[in-house]
Amino acid sequence: MLDGLRTVVHSEVESELINTTYTNVLLLRQLFSQAEKWYLKLQTDVSELENRELLEQVAEFEKSEFTSSNKKPSADLIKPKLAPLHEGGSELLNKTVACLQEENEKLKTRLKTIETQATAALDEKSKLEKSLKDLQMIQGDQKTNENQDIAELENKVAALKCQFEKTLNDSTANQKFLEENLATTKHDLLKVQNQLSTAEKELEKKFQQTAAYRNMKEILAKKNEQIKDLRKKLSKYEPED
């Protein structure tokens, strides 16, 4: 009988322990599920599981609960219970949602400010690019006009030089025609010198900030020297007073 009783008690205790373990697992699973649902952070201290004082307090609590289960608890002994988890979680969730909405509004306001600044910066960039293109077009037109003026002056000087050479070559055959054209040639020379002087002044103004200024000045100086040489050569053919 004792062996049978021992076997029965052993099986009953083992079954109760297994059920208690399963119950604790289910309870922890519910707690963890609710904590995960409401984004709660749980912290555990495994070392407290071996604290003898706390274990004894749990044993005393269990003993007192079993002994007083058949008695009606007094109002003084009734301990306050915690609020349901779903209500606290809902309040926490509402606070979290409110904070997120406030942060979202701040981010929207900041985004609008950044978009406004970016739009203003793009407009300013477009204006600067347009101004730069206009300036480049103006500079290109000025360079084109300057090159055209230089080409015209060179053509005039070349034409005059050819005319002078032709006049000198024909001087022997037609001395009278040469004498009649000497005054015209002098007038043309003075006119060309005036044009060259005026052109030189204009070119100095146009090229005073360019790299071609000195080169052009040297070219004009050479052209003046050539004209002076031509004048000296022509002076030999002028009639003496």
Side-chain angles (χ1 to χ4, degrees), residues 102-207:
E102 183 179 358
E103 186 68 21
N104 190 20
E105 292 297 328
K106 291 181 180 179
L107 290 175
K108 286 182 179 179
T109 304
R110 184 178 179 185
L111 179 61
K112 288 182 181 180
T113 304
I114 294 174
E115 288 178 350
T116 304
Q117 293 176 354
T119 303
L122 290 175
D123 294 339
E124 187 67 20
K125 181 181 178 182
S126 300
K127 292 180 181 179
L128 291 175
E129 289 179 350
K130 184 178 179 181
S131 300
L132 180 60
K133 289 181 180 179
D134 295 339
L135 181 60
Q136 290 176 349
M137 291 179 62
I138 292 172
Q139 290 179 349
D141 294 338
Q142 289 180 351
K143 289 181 179 179
T144 302
N145 295 330
E146 291 170 357
N147 293 330
Q148 290 178 355
D149 294 338
I150 294 171
E152 290 179 358
L153 289 174
E154 290 178 350
N155 292 331
K156 288 181 180 179
V157 173
L160 288 173
K161 185 177 180 180
C162 293
Q163 186 177 358
F164 294 154
E165 290 177 355
K166 183 178 180 180
T167 302
L168 290 173
N169 292 330
D170 295 341
S171 60
T172 304
N174 194 357
Q175 184 68 31
K176 184 177 180 180
F177 179 77
L178 180 60
E179 291 176 354
E180 291 176 355
N181 287 325
L182 282 176
T184 304
T185 303
K186 288 181 180 181
H187 181 71
D188 292 335
L189 284 172
L190 293 174
K191 184 176 180 181
V192 170
Q193 287 180 350
N194 292 330
Q195 290 178 354
L196 288 174
S197 178
T198 303
E200 184 177 0
K201 292 179 180 180
E202 291 178 356
L203 289 174
E204 286 178 355
K205 292 180 180 179
K206 291 180 179 180
F207 291 102

Side-chain angles (χ1 to χ4, degrees), residues 68 72-80:
S68 62
K72 184 177 181 181
S74 61
D76 296 334
L77 297 177
I78 297 176
K79 297 180 180 180

Side-chain angles (χ1 to χ4, degrees), residues 22-44 82-86 89:
Y22 291 166
T23 304
N24 292 331
V25 170
L26 292 176
L27 179 61
L28 290 174
R29 181 182 178 184
Q30 292 179 4
L31 292 175
F32 292 156
S33 298
Q34 293 182 15
E36 183 180 4
K37 181 179 180 181
W38 302 114
Y39 302 97
L40 300 177
K41 294 182 179 180
L42 302 180
Q43 295 181 353
T44 58
L82 296 175
L85 184 61
H86 66 277

